[in-house]
Amino acid sequence: MVSTYMGRSRWDMINLLLPGHPCFIFLLLSLLVIPSLTGLTEAQSKLCRTSCGDIPINYPFGIDDGCGSPYYRHLFVCSTSGQLEFMTPSGRYPIRNITYSDPHILLTDPFMWNCQDGNNFRPTRPFSLDTSTHFTLSSQNDYLFFNCSENYVIMEPKPMFCERFPEQCDSACDSSSYLCRHLPECASALRSSSCCSYYPKATESLRLMLRHCSTYASVYWRNLGVTPPFNQIPEYGIRVDFEIPVTMRCLQCQDTAKGGGICGFDTETQNFLCLCQKGNATTFCKDRNNSQHSRVVAGTVTAVSVAGAIGIGAGIWFLRKVRTKAPVTHGVQSNENRLF
């Protein structure tokens, strides 16, 4: 017996939902794409992560594209293990800490010498910064160079050398520096290798030193927050200072009385955007005269369109395959050709 519904066979009803029919396309778009877009535009500010591991991520930084200031775009990565990393032309470096009150970040360089190495010097690479960014190497860094060639590097006690050769004083590597005589955390780690202290003026001078020295280590002076004379202690690492661009639009955006948004930017134009709970604003979240922008942080739109395309493509492939294999029954449905 032929099963019918409102004058149509069940197979005819299924044909309405096969690829190419408008009902089929509308149904898949409704199920796959529209709910996803709705979920994305409900809370734009929630797309910006506020921490990575135990390190807070505040303005001007962001680890999600479109968050923070465009000056620091694509410079921070949060690994799958929750390690925040800083990207420079010389590589990716783990971040130990970020201080916003005294704007700087502390980096560790796994290629530099450490106490465990002793006289066993590993291959290293010079740390460098992109000069087009708003980062600078802190003047609170000191550099120690180990096992340097005396034929190419001037290694002498700096006070004595500067008295004899004042015009070459800046080029000397101080072999009697305090840090060489009191290596942080491991005063007696070096037994037979030489050590001298020299502050490179630029990345190129650091590369030049490493051509004639086995390795190096960066030491920064951590402020203990107490009165002098013992207000700083040396620790291994690289201190990098940064600028916080302060704008009236960002201050208004962050103002809780005006909606408490998050400062961000348009990922295409890099113009300022205030990321709010229900979309993006060009001023602040509670500005009634401001038109809301539906553009979301880069990556999320792509994810939706890809997911929708995959879902639609999979549905089309499956139904085409079923339709090709379905027997010609002239509308008669039996146990042999039943789809469900």
Side-chain angles (χ1 to χ4, degrees):
M1 179 180 294
V2 178
S3 300
T4 61
Y5 177 73
M6 296 294 291
R8 293 178 181 271
S9 69
R10 292 181 182 177
W11 185 253
D12 289 336
M13 294 296 292
I14 291 172
N15 283 337
L16 293 175
L17 299 179
L18 290 178
H21 198 283
C23 293
F24 171 79
I25 302 297
F26 177 78
L27 177 62
L28 284 181
L29 286 173
S30 301
L31 293 176
L32 296 173
V33 179
I34 296 177
S36 299
L37 287 174
T38 302
L40 282 174
T41 56
E42 281 180 355
Q44 295 296 295
S45 59
K46 291 183 179 179
L47 297 174
C48 298
R49 285 171 285 179
T50 57
S51 65
C52 177
D54 58 353
I55 299 179
I57 307 297
N58 301 329
Y59 182 84
F61 299 144
I63 50 180
D64 300 294
D65 199 15
C67 304
S69 169
Y71 291 146
Y72 301 104
R73 188 181 187 184
H74 302 320
L75 294 178
F76 294 88
V77 175
C78 188
S79 68
T80 54
S81 61
Q83 172 66 63
L84 185 63
E85 296 178 324
F86 178 61
M87 295 191 294
T88 79
S90 55
R92 289 167 57 160
Y93 300 88
I95 295 178
R96 183 186 302 174
N97 185 31
I98 299 179
T99 301
Y100 296 93
S101 56
D102 176 21
H104 69 272
I105 62 177
L106 297 177
L107 309 175
T108 58
D109 184 353
F111 290 93
M112 291 194 309
W113 180 89
N114 59 53
C115 290
Q116 289 71 35
D117 290 337
N119 290 301
N120 300 316
F121 303 116
R122 297 172 290 115
T124 188
R125 63 186 181 192
F127 175 82
S128 66
L129 281 175
D130 185 351
T131 55
S132 65
T133 64
H134 290 240
F135 288 104
T136 56
L137 278 174
S138 173
S139 59
Q140 297 186 34
N141 293 325
D142 277 319
Y143 291 84
L144 301 179
F145 294 87
F146 304 102
N147 199 33
C148 299
S149 171
E150 295 183 3
N151 295 328
Y152 298 95
V153 178
I154 302 174
M155 291 185 296
E156 289 196 31
K158 198 157 190 175
M160 297 173 56
F161 181 80
C162 292
E163 287 180 4
R164 289 181 293 140
F165 308 101
E167 70 282 355
Q168 301 182 43
C169 182
D170 289 341
S171 61
C173 194
D174 190 359
S175 59
S176 64
S177 68
Y178 171 85
L179 292 176
C180 279
R181 291 181 288 110
H182 303 87
L183 289 172
E185 303 173 17
C186 50
S188 59
L190 292 177
R191 295 179 299 273
S192 58
S193 299
S194 62
C195 169
C196 62
S197 177
Y198 174 74
Y199 187 84
K201 302 298 184 184
T203 301
E204 187 56 39
S205 60
L206 177 56
R207 291 195 186 100
L208 185 61
M209 287 291 291
L210 287 177
R211 291 179 188 173
H212 310 297
C213 302
S214 296
T215 188
Y216 82 112
S218 174
V219 178
Y220 72 94
W221 292 86
R222 182 167 66 90
N223 196 324
L224 297 177
V226 297
T227 56
F230 304 107
N231 62 338
Q232 292 181 324
I233 60 172
E235 293 185 358
Y236 293 108
I238 304 172
R239 171 171 166 150
V240 177
D241 297 334
F242 63 89
E243 302 172 10
I244 299 181
V246 179
T247 64
M248 184 58 66
R249 286 187 299 178
C250 182
L251 293 176
Q252 289 181 336
C253 172
Q254 293 177 328
D255 189 349
T256 54
K258 296 180 181 294
I262 295 177
C263 299
F265 59 92
D266 188 303
T267 55
E268 292 185 4
T269 65
Q270 297 194 30
N271 292 331
F272 173 81
L273 284 180
C274 184
L275 308 183
C276 309
Q277 289 294 319
K278 294 185 178 180
N280 301 332
T282 55
T283 53
F284 50 88
C285 298
K286 289 187 177 181
D287 186 358
R288 296 181 179 179
N289 298 322
N290 183 66
S291 60
Q292 297 287 327
H293 286 235
S294 60
R295 189 191 306 280
V296 297
V297 178
T300 53
V301 173
T302 304
V304 172
S305 59
V306 170
I310 292 176
I312 293 173
I316 292 175
W317 174 84
F318 174 75
L319 290 176
R320 279 181 176 173
K321 187 174 182 181
V322 170
R323 190 177 190 185
T324 302
K325 293 185 177 180
V328 180
T329 60
H330 303 286
V332 179
Q333 179 165 295
S334 65
N335 289 333
E336 286 73 24
N337 66 4
R338 188 180 300 275
L339 288 179
F340 304 103

